PDB file of all heavy atoms in Angstrom:
ATOM      1  N   ILE L1623     -16.957   7.117  12.103  1.00 97.00           N
ATOM      2  CA  ILE L1623     -17.020   6.331  10.820  1.00 97.00           C
ATOM      3  C   ILE L1623     -17.539   4.952  11.100  1.00 97.00           C
ATOM      4  O   ILE L1623     -18.478   4.443  10.414  1.00 97.00           O
ATOM      5  CB  ILE L1623     -15.716   6.369  10.039  1.00 97.00           C
ATOM      6  CG1 ILE L1623     -15.370   7.831   9.678  1.00 97.00           C
ATOM      7  CG2 ILE L1623     -15.776   5.503   8.795  1.00 97.00           C
ATOM      8  CD1 ILE L1623     -13.938   7.975   9.134  1.00 97.00           C
ATOM      9  N   MET L1624     -16.937   4.264  12.127  1.00 97.00           N
ATOM     10  CA  MET L1624     -17.258   2.894  12.386  1.00 97.00           C
ATOM     11  C   MET L1624     -18.747   2.828  12.817  1.00 97.00           C
ATOM     12  O   MET L1624     -19.424   1.889  12.510  1.00 97.00           O
ATOM     13  CB  MET L1624     -16.347   2.267  13.458  1.00 97.00           C
ATOM     14  CG  MET L1624     -14.914   1.955  12.935  1.00 97.00           C
ATOM     15  SD  MET L1624     -14.939   0.884  11.447  1.00 97.00           S
ATOM     16  CE  MET L1624     -15.339  -0.672  12.079  1.00 97.00           C
ATOM     17  N   HIS L1625     -19.127   3.749  13.616  1.00 96.00           N
ATOM     18  CA  HIS L1625     -20.578   3.822  14.195  1.00 96.00           C
ATOM     19  C   HIS L1625     -21.462   3.936  12.952  1.00 96.00           C
ATOM     20  O   HIS L1625     -22.534   3.398  12.884  1.00 96.00           O
ATOM     21  CB  HIS L1625     -20.777   4.941  15.194  1.00 96.00           C
ATOM     22  CG  HIS L1625     -20.198   4.601  16.513  1.00 96.00           C
ATOM     23  ND1 HIS L1625     -19.894   5.473  17.536  1.00 96.00           N
ATOM     24  CD2 HIS L1625     -19.653   3.378  16.992  1.00 96.00           C
ATOM     25  CE1 HIS L1625     -19.262   4.914  18.503  1.00 96.00           C
ATOM     26  NE2 HIS L1625     -19.182   3.608  18.181  1.00 96.00           N
ATOM     27  N   GLY L1626     -21.136   4.779  12.009  1.00 96.00           N
ATOM     28  CA  GLY L1626     -21.964   4.952  10.815  1.00 96.00           C
ATOM     29  C   GLY L1626     -22.042   3.729  10.063  1.00 96.00           C
ATOM     30  O   GLY L1626     -23.259   3.214   9.650  1.00 96.00           O
ATOM     31  N   LEU L1627     -21.015   2.982   9.921  1.00 97.00           N
ATOM     32  CA  LEU L1627     -21.012   1.743   9.122  1.00 97.00           C
ATOM     33  C   LEU L1627     -21.704   0.650   9.822  1.00 97.00           C
ATOM     34  O   LEU L1627     -22.351  -0.180   9.229  1.00 97.00           O
ATOM     35  CB  LEU L1627     -19.551   1.403   8.769  1.00 97.00           C
ATOM     36  CG  LEU L1627     -18.736   2.198   7.841  1.00 97.00           C
ATOM     37  CD1 LEU L1627     -17.249   1.838   7.773  1.00 97.00           C
ATOM     38  CD2 LEU L1627     -19.457   2.259   6.409  1.00 97.00           C
ATOM     39  N   ALA L1628     -21.705   0.733  11.185  1.00 97.00           N
ATOM     40  CA  ALA L1628     -22.276  -0.303  12.010  1.00 97.00           C
ATOM     41  C   ALA L1628     -23.779  -0.317  11.840  1.00 97.00           C
ATOM     42  O   ALA L1628     -24.443  -1.301  12.027  1.00 97.00           O
ATOM     43  CB  ALA L1628     -21.933  -0.124  13.521  1.00 97.00           C
ATOM     44  N   THR L1629     -24.342   0.859  11.380  1.00 96.00           N
ATOM     45  CA  THR L1629     -25.856   0.883  11.222  1.00 96.00           C
ATOM     46  C   THR L1629     -26.179   0.259   9.808  1.00 96.00           C
ATOM     47  O   THR L1629     -27.420   0.376   9.427  1.00 96.00           O
ATOM     48  CB  THR L1629     -26.371   2.328  11.303  1.00 96.00           C
ATOM     49  OG1 THR L1629     -25.688   3.080  10.129  1.00 96.00           O
ATOM     50  CG2 THR L1629     -25.954   3.022  12.589  1.00 96.00           C
ATOM     51  N   ILE L1630     -25.276  -0.152   9.023  1.00 98.00           N
ATOM     52  CA  ILE L1630     -25.611  -0.623   7.645  1.00 98.00           C
ATOM     53  C   ILE L1630     -25.363  -2.180   7.627  1.00 98.00           C
ATOM     54  O   ILE L1630     -24.284  -2.743   7.596  1.00 98.00           O
ATOM     55  CB  ILE L1630     -24.643   0.014   6.581  1.00 98.00           C
ATOM     56  CG1 ILE L1630     -24.773   1.535   6.721  1.00 98.00           C
ATOM     57  CG2 ILE L1630     -25.093  -0.512   5.187  1.00 98.00           C
ATOM     58  CD1 ILE L1630     -23.868   2.326   5.778  1.00 98.00           C
ATOM     59  N   PRO L1631     -26.503  -2.894   7.771  1.00 97.00           N
ATOM     60  CA  PRO L1631     -26.394  -4.370   7.976  1.00 97.00           C
ATOM     61  C   PRO L1631     -25.625  -5.157   6.856  1.00 97.00           C
ATOM     62  O   PRO L1631     -24.922  -6.122   7.116  1.00 97.00           O
ATOM     63  CB  PRO L1631     -27.876  -4.910   8.056  1.00 97.00           C
ATOM     64  CG  PRO L1631     -28.603  -3.705   8.256  1.00 97.00           C
ATOM     65  CD  PRO L1631     -27.906  -2.438   7.742  1.00 97.00           C
ATOM     66  N   HIS L1632     -25.716  -4.716   5.583  1.00 98.00           N
ATOM     67  CA  HIS L1632     -25.068  -5.500   4.514  1.00 98.00           C
ATOM     68  C   HIS L1632     -23.556  -5.250   4.450  1.00 98.00           C
ATOM     69  O   HIS L1632     -22.873  -6.037   3.730  1.00 98.00           O
ATOM     70  CB  HIS L1632     -25.790  -5.230   3.149  1.00 98.00           C
ATOM     71  CG  HIS L1632     -25.722  -3.755   2.706  1.00 98.00           C
ATOM     72  ND1 HIS L1632     -26.871  -3.011   2.879  1.00 98.00           N
ATOM     73  CD2 HIS L1632     -24.850  -2.950   2.164  1.00 98.00           C
ATOM     74  CE1 HIS L1632     -26.598  -1.744   2.460  1.00 98.00           C
ATOM     75  NE2 HIS L1632     -25.427  -1.679   1.985  1.00 98.00           N
ATOM     76  N   VAL L1633     -23.074  -4.273   5.166  1.00 98.00           N
ATOM     77  CA  VAL L1633     -21.590  -4.146   5.288  1.00 98.00           C
ATOM     78  C   VAL L1633     -21.029  -5.076   6.308  1.00 98.00           C
ATOM     79  O   VAL L1633     -21.466  -4.937   7.438  1.00 98.00           O
ATOM     80  CB  VAL L1633     -21.201  -2.666   5.526  1.00 98.00           C
ATOM     81  CG1 VAL L1633     -19.591  -2.552   5.877  1.00 98.00           C
ATOM     82  CG2 VAL L1633     -21.566  -1.814   4.352  1.00 98.00           C
ATOM     83  N   LYS L1634     -20.260  -6.004   5.903  1.00 98.00           N
ATOM     84  CA  LYS L1634     -19.783  -7.027   6.839  1.00 98.00           C
ATOM     85  C   LYS L1634     -18.246  -6.756   7.197  1.00 98.00           C
ATOM     86  O   LYS L1634     -17.875  -7.160   8.261  1.00 98.00           O
ATOM     87  CB  LYS L1634     -19.941  -8.499   6.305  1.00 98.00           C
ATOM     88  CG  LYS L1634     -21.360  -8.812   5.930  1.00 98.00           C
ATOM     89  CD  LYS L1634     -22.284  -8.906   6.986  1.00 98.00           C
ATOM     90  CE  LYS L1634     -23.663  -9.393   6.647  1.00 98.00           C
ATOM     91  NZ  LYS L1634     -24.652  -9.110   7.727  1.00 98.00           N
ATOM     92  N   ILE L1635     -17.562  -6.282   6.278  1.00 98.00           N
ATOM     93  CA  ILE L1635     -16.137  -6.119   6.435  1.00 98.00           C
ATOM     94  C   ILE L1635     -15.671  -4.664   6.287  1.00 98.00           C
ATOM     95  O   ILE L1635     -16.141  -3.992   5.334  1.00 98.00           O
ATOM     96  CB  ILE L1635     -15.368  -6.904   5.297  1.00 98.00           C
ATOM     97  CG1 ILE L1635     -15.854  -8.374   5.232  1.00 98.00           C
ATOM     98  CG2 ILE L1635     -13.851  -6.870   5.514  1.00 98.00           C
ATOM     99  CD1 ILE L1635     -15.550  -9.223   6.378  1.00 98.00           C
TER     100      ILE L1635
END
Side-chain angles (χ1 to χ4, degrees):
I1623 296 171
M1624 287 305 287
H1625 287 164
L1627 292 172
T1629 64
I1630 306 176
H1632 54 263
V1633 171
K1634 304 292 185 195
I1635 308 293

